Amino acid sequence: MSVVRLAILSLLVVPALAFGQAKEDEADKVSNDRPDRPLQMPPASSEVKEAFDDFERFRRRNAWERALKALFTIPEAQALRFVDGQDGFIIPVAQNRRAVLAGLSPEGQAAYRLFYDDDAKKLLEKAEGPAELKTLERLYSEYFLTTVGDTAADRLGDLHFEMGRFDRAADCWLAVLRDYPDTDLSPALLSVKAALALRRAGRAGEIEPLRRDLADRYADEKVTIGGRTAPAAEFLKPVLSASGTGLDPAATPSAPPGAAAVSASASEPDLKLAEAVPADWQMRFGESVVAGMTPQERTQWDSNRLSGAVPAVTVEGTTLYANYLGYVFALDLETGKLLWRSGAFHNLDVPAAQDQARMLDPARFAILASKEHVWTLSRDLVDPNQMSPFRLTCRRTDGGDVVWQSTNLPDYAQLDLFGTPILANETVYVVAKPPMNYRPDQTHQYVLAVRASDGKLRWKTEIGTLRQGQRYYYYGLPDDSPQPRLIQRGGSLYVDTHIGVLARLDAESGELEWGYGYKTDPVESSGRFFFFGMMPPSDSTSSSTPLRSGEALFVKGAKSERLYALDTDRRKMLWDRPIAKSARLVGANDRMLFLGGPELSALDLRTRTLLWATRVPGGSSESRVLVRPGGIWQLTARGIFELDPDSGRVRRIFRGDDTGSDGGDLYVSGRHLVAVSNRTIAAYPIEASPAGGPARVDEGPTKKTRTTDD
Amino acid sequence: MTKSNSAVRIKGSRFKVVGIVALAAILGAGSRPARAQFFGSPGASTAPVGNIEGFTVSGKGTVLGKPNRLEIDLEVSASSELSADAIVKYRDTKKRLQEAFAALKLDNVTVEERGLLVDQKGVQINPYFFDAQPNRRSKAEVQLTRRLVVKCSEIRKLDEEALLQLVAKLLDVAQDAGGKVTGGQNNFNPYYYYDYSNRSSTGLVRFILDDYDKLEDEAYAKAVADAEARAQRLARLSHVKLGPVTAVREAASPGSAPTGAGMNARSGHDDDSTAKRLESSRYQEIPVQVELVVRFDVSANPPGNGRTGD
């Protein structure tokens, strides 16, 4: 009897457990279609998803004709919309279709060729002239496994290479090598071409497997490239010598100048501050702001978050350019002399008295510079419209005259530029969204490529739709939305939206290639009442710029509780790990990943364990930390702290000339360490001497410091 | 039932009522002298009532003593999604603080640990949060918090300048090592009404007097003398002779009650609860206060000796 009861109980309980697990997995899964995710990449229609489901169903039954027909019902207009791929990647329909076809069994492939070879051959014949690229792309996507698919991929690779899209060219050739084993094309030639494209794209990590394959199988095979015929290995030699360092001028990762993340490179010289040395010069802009304020105004200013703003700074040649809450100025790095400025800082006391200025996030002010121009992202503090958008302004470096600004150009109408822009190949890349008071049904997020010289929009690509919706702010509550970050590498542009998606775009065309959906906080309700002001303050941390170490690109969303290591070239997630939401990326070397937040800490990249954590005064949540092979430096309210990267031990505290500030950012330029706080910009001379020894504290004298008081 | 019967019954019940009232009166009268045997409530110690067998007076004694020790409260706190990370952060922060103080090589400085609080961070329900509710899916992070007390002894021999230098050094070391110095000024924000309870200033540094046994003896002696003087005066004015002490009660003793502005006679935080100490948020002499309530017997003056209390 008891056995029967036990059996009945088991039958009742086991399904319940199974249901529970399924629900848990479902809740944990990251999908582009989940309604609670803050950003949705342009989704494919439900018919497309049904087509993939139908294909899978018929494939299992070996009903090949119906299975393949289902795939070919997908309209071409949907090819660049997005569906969930493997490992959390969100990929275009065309890529997913090709991946599905590449996974066909031999039987399926035979059926596929039987049904579609003729169509593919006809299309290939038409691939000439202006329609060549589009036709080849269609062949590559829809007919890759037909008998002409390899030829189409090879030709498409050539086209992409000529157009400078090295990433795509490499992908085309690698697709033939990996997914088309019975190709009649020369594997040696394809390997060499792929290696060349990979090198140009900065994907050095993928060249070594190609080299091994060539050495093992096609070492003596002769190939002809650019009219020159030589053994394949000969062509690879220059590629390998350059890829050994992984550094190619066109492929060097480009991080925004104002970004907090810094990659440690072994080629950088060690940084050593001289003992107790005064600053060579110091620009005390903070004193100019508060000069003449009444005690009441001073109290108001000190309680305003604008008073904690650290200017965005960039260095070009021997000139330092700064954007202090929209006031742009240039300093001579050698003397500290003020070269020009766009306005007097003491005017800041006016916006400090206005509530709408309190709502600004000072971290949104940004600056970029080239030899001729300086670009700033800012807005007018006295603008009574609290929701007015930020504008991009281009000025001449020699006097600060305005060349153009986005508010005067129709392309930027109804766009609010945000995040830290980057400059590459005479193009400014910046993220945009509709202004806060725009129609809630049109809240798309874009990446813009702007011609740097005249502000003309080169392309504008939609990353996705913001599900966050309209957010209202009352009574001077600040906008704390995370700022997106951009990096450029090879021919690709990566944007970490910090709302759950890392997206990769083609830097030249702006085409959205894929996205990676990571776990993040779900959408919040749209209204914010003033009662929020009484909430206990949470640890706020600035957005991290994605960091690369070896083949891994590290991503940590500002609202995410996980750290991800992605192989962006092979589109794989290498690993992920839980991490405090307050953590951010500040630097990396080949062994460790350095994290900021309430404390500075180091993560072992091999074991993925936290090696050490050191709390410096004021924490490490926002300021720009210098990470170099010889040490880690951070400007705090109590001076510049130097830490041993291996142990986290504080080696030295250099008080400097600006104790009592809120801390800020550090930059190295020539023989100066430039410390930028919310009150001053100071340049300390750097001397070379060995690091190590016990922790020391140098009380920096201030008597000899030359000051620039406005 | 006849009329006479009911009259008898009414009469009988009247007798019963009278008997109960009489009994209550006797019991009440008997209890008055008994209550007078005891001191009044502590709050009424300055005006003893109902003592008909002597004088009950209070005597106070105060002796001032310089603090011999100072304390600084630090907080070590770490949180993370992974408990293992929180432990590394917490352990490293605590270690660096302890190493920083050890590096001072001051024999009279020690760092003591208080209880470890294992809590969660990230899930907070706020009653003022009318709109969006806290995210149900956001995970709570493990938070480890421990209070450290930096103790510096033998400060009595330091002059004020040297003491200031020492305090500055300790505070600097604590902050440079990433310690969060707790206490200090709580700026009151009139708009944040929930903050009413949190606006007293405790100071960053606590000055302690805990070697006051001798001072305590002096304070007791002064309190007894004060009580006796008061009783003598009462006896003299009342024309009775002061007898021996019949009872003594401690109304206040060192460490049991507030000892003045800016001072706190709490018996210490957490693990210090059993320690005997006086503390002040200011660097000044700390009063060792004793208050006694003393009852003296009295007797009538001898006939030929006048009616004075002498």
Side-chain angles (χ1 to χ4, degrees):
Chain A
M1 191 62 188
S2 60
V3 174
V4 173
R5 279 182 185 165
L6 189 67
I8 292 169
L9 192 66
S10 303
L11 283 171
L12 288 172
V13 169
V14 168
L17 289 174
F19 285 137
Q21 284 168 2
K23 205 167 183 180
E24 188 70 25
D25 291 346
E26 196 62 30
D28 223 27
K29 193 182 169 192
V30 172
S31 168
N32 193 40
D33 298 325
R34 282 183 62 136
D36 61 346
R37 287 185 56 77
L39 183 77
Q40 183 185 33
M41 295 184 75
S45 64
S46 54
E47 287 80 11
V48 172
K49 289 160 198 164
E50 283 168 17
F52 282 115
D53 290 344
D54 287 346
F55 168 82
E56 190 56 31
R57 197 168 58 251
F58 292 125
R59 184 193 64 78
R60 281 201 293 268
R61 293 186 210 156
N62 288 335
W64 295 112
E65 187 176 4
R66 296 181 74 179
L68 294 167
K69 200 173 177 181
L71 277 189
F72 281 83
T73 60
I74 296 173
E76 199 49 38
Q78 289 284 318
L80 294 179
R81 307 294 286 185
F82 286 80
V83 291
D84 292 337
Q86 298 291 317
D87 266 359
F89 283 87
I90 301 163
I91 57 175
V93 169
Q95 280 185 33
N96 198 44
R97 184 168 52 192
R98 197 173 60 73
V100 164
L101 291 173
L104 281 176
S105 64
E107 190 188 8
Q109 279 190 25
Y112 174 72
R113 285 181 178 175
L114 181 69
F115 297 136
Y116 297 104
D117 247 8
D118 287 343
D119 292 347
K121 283 173 184 167
K122 281 179 196 164
L123 264 180
L124 189 62
E125 284 169 12
K126 289 182 190 168
E128 298 292 340
E132 184 182 13
L133 179 66
K134 201 163 185 179
T135 311
L136 288 175
E137 278 182 339
R138 190 175 165 201
L139 273 165
Y140 180 57
S141 165
E142 292 181 44
Y143 300 95
F144 178 62
L145 286 188
T146 60
T147 51
V148 295
D150 54 344
T151 309
D154 184 35
R155 279 180 59 187
L156 185 62
D158 289 340
L159 273 182
H160 281 317
F161 195 87
E162 286 166 17
M163 293 164 70
R165 300 177 181 176
F166 304 116
D167 256 327
R168 295 184 161 216
D171 286 340
C172 289
W173 291 318
L174 288 173
V176 180
L177 288 168
R178 289 169 185 165
D179 301 330
Y180 207 113
D182 56 343
T183 179
D184 293 331
L185 301 173
S186 160
L189 179 61
L190 289 172
S191 299
V192 171
K193 289 204 286 191
L196 287 169
L198 287 171
R199 177 184 169 252
R200 295 285 185 98
R203 292 160 60 176
E206 290 175 83
I207 297 175
E208 180 56 24
L210 287 175
R211 187 201 64 77
R212 279 200 305 268
D213 210 29
L214 271 176
D216 294 346
R217 299 166 66 182
Y218 318 110
D220 299 326
E221 191 172 321
K222 289 192 174 177
V223 298
T224 303
I225 295 178
R228 189 164 78 90
T229 304
E234 286 291 312
F235 281 102
L236 275 192
K237 274 181 188 168
V239 179
L240 290 170
S241 62
S243 66
T245 60
L247 296 173
D248 180 279
T252 306
S254 162
V262 181
S263 272
S265 164
S267 61
E268 286 173 329
D270 201 1
L271 179 68
K272 187 77 181 81
L273 283 171
E275 299 281 335
V277 69
D280 273 358
W281 54 262
Q282 192 175 40
M283 157 78 163
R284 296 180 178 170
F285 59 85
E287 289 179 5
S288 298
V289 175
V290 298
M293 280 188 182
T294 62
Q296 289 80 6
E297 286 170 338
R298 182 65 193 267
T299 304
Q300 199 169 27
W301 169 249
D302 287 338
S303 64
N304 192 322
R305 71 191 313 216
L306 295 181
S307 65
V310 176
V313 161
T314 188
V315 173
E316 175 59 41
T318 58
T319 308
L320 180 145
Y321 301 94
N323 179 2
Y324 178 52
L325 297 171
Y327 294 84
V328 186
F329 57 93
L331 295 175
D332 186 300
L333 256 182
E334 286 303 311
T335 62
K337 188 182 170 191
L338 184 68
L339 300 175
W340 56 262
R341 66 177 180 183
S342 64
F345 307 132
H346 65 259
N347 292 334
L348 268 169
D349 59 352
V350 177
Q354 315 288 329
D355 258 352
Q356 72 267 18
R358 289 171 174 268
M359 299 166 68
L360 281 175
D361 179 359
R364 287 188 65 177
F365 293 84
I367 192 163
L368 302 167
S370 71
K371 277 184 183 169
E372 291 83 25
H373 297 111
V374 54
W375 297 267
T376 55
L377 200 57
S378 51
R379 55 158 279 195
D380 196 349
L381 291 181
V382 291
D383 190 336
N385 178 9
Q386 61 200 32
M387 297 177 181
S388 68
F390 272 61
R391 62 170 177 264
L392 191 61
T393 305
C394 176
R395 296 171 187 272
R396 294 190 200 289
T397 51
D398 52 8
D401 295 333
V402 175
V403 180
W404 58 265
Q405 53 186 354
S406 57
T407 41
N408 296 339
L409 301 171
D411 287 340
Y412 303 89
Q414 300 300 342
L415 285 177
D416 186 14
L417 309 179
F418 74 133
T420 310
I422 60 170
L423 177 68
N425 304 324
E426 296 294 311
T427 305
V428 174
Y429 298 100
V430 65
V431 183
K433 63 176 180 175
M436 282 167 65
N437 53 355
Y438 205 54
R439 285 173 52 186
D441 57 335
Q442 294 186 12
T443 49
H444 301 298
Q445 191 171 102
Y446 304 96
V447 175
L448 312 182
V450 182
R451 198 154 71 191
S453 55
D454 58 7
K456 190 177 176 195
L457 205 57
R458 290 184 55 201
W459 50 257
K460 173 181 166 186
T461 299
E462 180 193 332
I463 301 297
T465 307
L466 295 163
R467 287 202 184 99
Q468 180 61 68
Q470 189 85 335
R471 300 188 78 193
Y472 298 94
Y473 298 89
Y474 302 101
Y475 303 102
L477 286 172
D479 178 4
D480 60 353
S481 309
Q483 301 294 304
R485 299 290 186 208
L486 291 159
I487 55 168
Q488 191 253 344
R489 178 175 176 265
S492 297
L493 192 69
Y494 296 86
V495 53
D496 187 351
T497 59
H498 282 278
I499 46 175
V501 172
L502 171 85
R504 184 164 105 165
L505 298 92
D506 183 88
E508 188 61 29
S509 66
E511 192 174 312
L512 189 56
E513 293 179 351
W514 50 256
Y516 179 76
Y518 57 78
K519 288 180 187 169
T520 191
D521 276 1
V523 289
E524 294 172 21
S525 68
S526 56
R528 294 187 66 198
F529 283 95
F530 64 94
F531 301 101
F532 267 90
M534 299 171 182
M535 287 287 288
S538 59
D539 295 332
S540 65
T541 304
S542 64
S543 302
S544 307
T545 303
L547 270 181
R548 187 168 286 279
S549 175
E551 290 179 11
L553 183 73
F554 297 104
V555 180
K556 163 68 181 67
K559 305 269 183 186
S560 176
E561 290 168 336
R562 293 193 89 80
L563 169 69
Y564 295 87
L566 304 176
D567 182 341
T568 51
D569 299 328
R570 295 185 182 89
R571 234 170 40 210
K572 281 182 190 167
M573 189 193 67
L574 300 173
W575 53 265
D576 69 332
R577 148 193 222 288
I579 201 87
K581 195 185 286 183
S582 56
R584 67 177 180 125
L585 308 171
V586 298
N589 60 25
D590 53 349
R591 292 179 297 117
M592 287 180 282
L593 181 68
F594 300 102
L595 302 166
E599 52 280 294
L600 272 172
S601 55
L603 196 72
D604 186 301
L605 288 180
R606 193 175 56 80
T607 62
R608 290 164 220 162
T609 53
L610 198 67
L611 292 174
W612 54 258
T614 300
R615 195 178 278 252
V616 296
S620 308
S621 295
E622 289 177 343
S623 54
R624 187 178 191 270
V625 180
L626 273 184
V627 178
R628 296 188 153 228
I632 299 171
W633 288 263
Q634 187 188 333
L635 175 62
T636 74
R638 300 179 62 81
I640 298 171
F641 277 57
E642 177 186 324
L643 275 70
D644 182 345
D646 291 324
S647 65
R649 184 176 66 88
V650 176
R651 280 202 298 236
R652 187 170 177 213
I653 302 168
F654 180 84
R655 294 281 186 222
D657 289 332
D658 191 25
T659 48
S661 70
D662 289 356
D665 301 336
L666 286 177
Y667 302 83
V668 175
S669 178
R671 63 181 194 85
H672 282 123
L673 176 68
V674 181
V676 185
S677 76
N678 62 323
R679 300 193 314 195
T680 70
I681 299 176
Y684 299 101
I686 302 168
E687 282 185 5
S689 66
R696 301 189 303 282
V697 179
D698 301 324
E699 307 289 349
T702 55
K703 286 179 185 169
K704 291 189 219 165
T705 300
R706 291 199 302 273
T707 60
T708 306
D709 294 330
D710 195 5
Chain B
M1 186 181 288
T2 62
K3 207 172 182 179
S4 60
N5 280 348
S6 61
V8 170
R9 224 175 277 142
I10 290 168
K11 210 174 184 179
S13 64
R14 276 185 187 156
F15 278 126
K16 277 182 189 170
V17 171
V18 170
I20 290 167
V21 170
L23 185 63
I26 290 165
L27 287 173
S31 66
R32 277 189 65 82
R35 202 177 59 175
Q37 301 295 322
F38 298 98
F39 294 110
S41 63
S45 61
T46 51
V49 290
N51 188 346
I52 60 169
E53 293 187 359
F55 294 140
T56 301
V57 292
S58 68
K60 292 177 183 173
T62 302
V63 180
L64 297 175
K66 271 182 90 173
N68 61 314
R69 209 152 55 79
L70 66 83
E71 290 182 353
I72 299 172
D73 281 346
L74 306 178
E75 189 181 273
V76 176
S77 180
S79 62
S80 191
E81 171 76 15
L82 277 187
S83 305
D85 288 357
I87 290 170
V88 170
K89 290 178 180 181
Y90 162 75
R91 187 192 61 206
D92 280 9
T93 309
K94 186 162 72 88
K95 188 176 133 203
R96 286 183 212 294
L97 265 171
Q98 286 172 329
E99 283 176 353
F101 281 103
L104 287 177
K105 293 180 180 163
L106 295 172
D107 294 335
N108 57 339
V109 174
T110 56
V111 181
E112 287 185 9
E113 296 181 8
R114 295 292 179 258
L116 175 68
L117 175 68
V118 182
D119 204 351
Q120 64 175 358
K121 180 188 170 190
V123 177
Q124 292 168 325
I125 305 296
N126 192 308
Y128 308 109
F129 198 168
F130 284 4
D131 180 31
Q133 291 299 308
N135 173 19
R136 284 178 289 111
R137 276 209 299 281
S138 81
K139 294 171 189 167
E141 295 184 357
V142 174
Q143 178 163 306
L144 305 174
T145 308
R146 171 165 255 155
R147 197 166 67 89
L148 301 181
V149 182
V150 180
K151 292 187 172 181
C152 179
S153 56
E154 300 170 23
I155 60 169
R156 201 173 283 152
K157 59 189 178 189
L158 301 176
D159 60 19
E160 191 165 306
E161 178 61 26
L163 184 74
L164 275 177
Q165 294 288 344
L166 176 67
V167 168
K169 186 180 274 188
L170 294 177
L171 288 172
D172 276 348
V173 165
Q175 290 178 86
D176 286 343
K180 181 183 170 192
V181 182
T182 56
Q185 185 80 34
N186 291 315
N187 290 323
F188 172 60
N189 188 331
Y191 301 109
Y192 287 5
Y193 55 86
Y194 67 91
D195 203 25
Y196 277 131
S197 61
N198 209 12
R199 51 183 165 137
S200 61
S201 173
T202 54
L204 293 176
V205 181
R206 220 168 31 246
F207 296 96
I208 310 291
L209 174 63
D210 58 2
D211 59 349
Y212 56 87
D213 289 343
K214 198 176 163 191
L215 298 176
E216 199 176 10
D217 286 349
E218 283 180 38
Y220 271 99
K222 279 191 173 181
V224 170
D226 182 42
E228 192 170 352
R230 286 166 185 253
Q232 288 287 5
R233 185 170 58 190
L234 284 175
R236 189 179 66 247
L237 295 173
S238 306
H239 308 291
V240 294
K241 186 177 179 184
L242 195 65
V245 172
T246 57
V248 177
R249 181 172 64 81
E250 281 186 338
S253 61
S256 66
T259 53
M263 289 162 208
N264 190 356
R266 62 180 181 171
S267 52
H269 299 289
D270 305 345
D271 307 6
D272 281 344
S273 55
T274 56
K276 183 182 169 188
R277 52 196 258 150
L278 296 173
E279 57 185 69
S280 167
S281 58
R282 294 184 175 85
Y283 181 60
Q284 61 187 18
E285 291 194 318
I286 299 176
V288 179
Q289 289 182 331
V290 172
E291 184 176 351
L292 301 174
V293 179
V294 184
R295 185 151 66 86
F296 291 90
D297 207 354
V298 291
S299 58
N301 274 328
N305 210 11
R307 291 186 64 201
T308 66
D310 297 330

